[in-house]
Amino acid sequence: AAMFDAKRGHGRYTRTAPTTSGVQMALEEDLRDALRHNRLRLHYQPIVTRDQSIVLAEALVRWPHRELGPLAPDVILPVAEKGGLLPELDRWVLRTALAEATTWESYDGHPVGVTVNVSGLRPEAPDFADEISAAISDTGIAPDRVVVEVVETSLVDLPSKPCKTMRDLASTGVRFAMDDFGTGYSSLARLKDLPTQIVKLDQRFVSGMGSDPADLGIVRAVVELARAMRRTCIAEGVENTTQRRLLEGLGVDACQGFLFSRPLPAPEFRALLSTPGPALR
Ligand code: C2E
Ligand code: MG
Ligand code: MG
Ligand code: MG
């Protein structure tokens, strides 16, 4: 029933995965079709520094499904995975996000970058670098405005060749972020070797740090580690000012979360960017 409630209001997304294989297969076909006909959408969530500048926005995929209403990544990604559509989804997201970001302009003229999640396109895939480079040259975006987010868990056992691929790309200006940091088991040496200039502290630690001393300890350790390795640390899932103050006190460079803004449709994000002054308080 939850699947059909999704149209009720702005920002309500269906997060219940369909169960029967018939529904699953129909959705795979729909997704293939939606990709082909450009019917997916990206929402953008601002990433905000301590001085309240929006320096980046994360592209998050949404699917306004004709019958089921708006669908969130929790539904889209498993469908894409089962249908073998993840690389195609990544490609669509990369191209769309980079193209949209070329039109972004902040009210005071500071550059705003875009960060994109990839999960089908893995650093060890032979076309990883080519896909990213092609999206950059086809859209004409400056490479230093592009961040590619890879989840920590997919970087754990990465052999040295894809590390080199990532380093080569990084030398063109593209940045990499290790997403959901703290949830995988990567060694510290791994973080040191990889050209992941940004670490994104997973939201579970942010939401737990007020009540669980272990979570607070993890947050502290990740921030320290990021500083020692000269990485930028972004905290995810910041929902209130108590969390924000604590994180900034610990030395987090930037925050992302509902406290500042929900992920916004492209036109609303552009409007937010062009609003003078610190729009996010
Ligand atoms: P993520 O990359 O860690 O993205 C952050 C998720 O946290 C987003 O959920 C975002 O809406 C949500 N979020 C942001 N601020 C807050 C907050 O203050 N509180 C809480 N509770 N949640 C917050 P979303 O959009 O549902 O995406 C879920 C996951 O799906 C993402 O986690 C990412 O791993 C994946 N994903 C999203 N879009 C894409 C995409 O275009 N391609 C790929 N491959 N994966 C995607
Ligand atoms: Mg992400
Ligand atoms: Mg994340
Ligand atoms: Mg997360």
Side-chain angles (χ1 to χ4, degrees):
M3 285 221 318
F4 299 94
D5 285 339
K7 278 190 196 131
R8 265 187 307 170
H10 185 75
R12 290 192 57 84
Y13 279 84
T14 300
R15 296 185 177 280
T16 324
T19 41
T20 69
S21 63
V23 173
Q24 172 69 38
M25 271 164 61
L27 273 176
E28 272 174 36
E29 220 23 71
D30 282 358
L31 181 59
R32 204 163 275 128
D33 210 53
L35 279 164
R36 203 175 302 133
H37 295 102
N38 223 28
R39 281 200 289 262
L40 298 183
R41 292 290 172 264
L42 290 177
H43 283 191
Y44 296 96
Q45 187 176 36
I47 294 173
V48 181
T49 56
R50 314 160 158 266
D51 62 1
Q52 301 291 316
S53 307
I54 301 172
V55 284
L56 270 177
E58 179 168 11
L60 296 159
V61 70
R62 303 291 183 259
W63 182 8
H65 191 282
R66 268 180 300 208
E67 286 116 45
L68 303 176
L71 302 180
D74 317 41
V75 177
I76 303 168
L77 295 173
V79 172
E81 179 159 32
K82 289 208 187 71
L85 295 168
L86 273 180
E88 202 175 325
L89 176 71
D90 284 351
R91 217 171 292 132
W92 181 86
V93 171
L94 253 178
R95 284 173 179 271
T96 308
L98 271 47
E100 287 185 327
T102 57
T103 69
W104 292 351
E105 226 171 294
S106 82
Y107 69 95
D108 63 355
H110 74 258
V112 182
V114 66
T115 177
V116 176
N117 298 282
V118 294
S119 42
L121 205 58
R122 300 168 63 93
E124 61 268 39
D127 55 349
F128 180 75
D130 291 345
E131 287 290 354
I132 294 170
S133 310
I136 290 172
S137 57
D138 292 354
T139 55
I141 195 169
D144 61 5
R145 285 174 62 197
V146 177
V147 178
V148 177
E149 293 192 15
V150 188
V151 287
E152 184 194 5
T153 43
S154 72
L155 292 171
V156 178
D157 298 314
L158 205 61
S160 57
K161 195 167 166 223
C163 291
K164 166 124 180 16
T165 306
M166 288 174 73
R167 274 195 297 275
D168 291 347
L169 261 179
S171 72
T172 71
V174 175
R175 284 169 292 166
F176 291 97
M178 209 184 253
D179 200 3
D180 300 345
F181 190 74
T183 61
Y185 299 92
S186 54
S187 68
L188 303 185
R190 184 84 293 199
L191 178 61
K192 196 182 136 189
D193 291 343
L194 287 166
T196 39
Q197 296 86 343
I198 298 170
V199 292
K200 296 189 78 178
L201 175 66
D202 194 73
Q203 62 188 48
R204 80 189 65 179
F205 308 119
V206 173
S207 63
M209 82 189 162
S211 52
D212 185 342
D215 283 335
L216 181 59
I218 291 172
V219 174
R220 232 186 260 282
V222 169
V223 175
E224 275 303 308
L225 190 64
R227 183 182 299 141
M229 294 190 184
R230 298 204 169 77
R231 305 299 204 267
T232 298
C233 183
I234 298 175
E236 301 186 305
V238 182
E239 293 182 345
N240 57 58
T241 44
T242 310
Q243 291 169 341
R244 177 185 157 199
R245 287 203 196 98
L246 188 51
L247 290 163
E248 289 182 351
L250 291 172
V252 160
D253 300 291
C255 293
Q256 173 181 1
F258 296 162
L259 172 65
F260 303 97
S261 170
R262 291 189 171 260
L264 300 171
E268 288 174 39
F269 177 69
R270 280 170 56 89
L272 179 68
L273 271 184
S274 59
T275 309
L280 308 160
R281 278 281 182 213

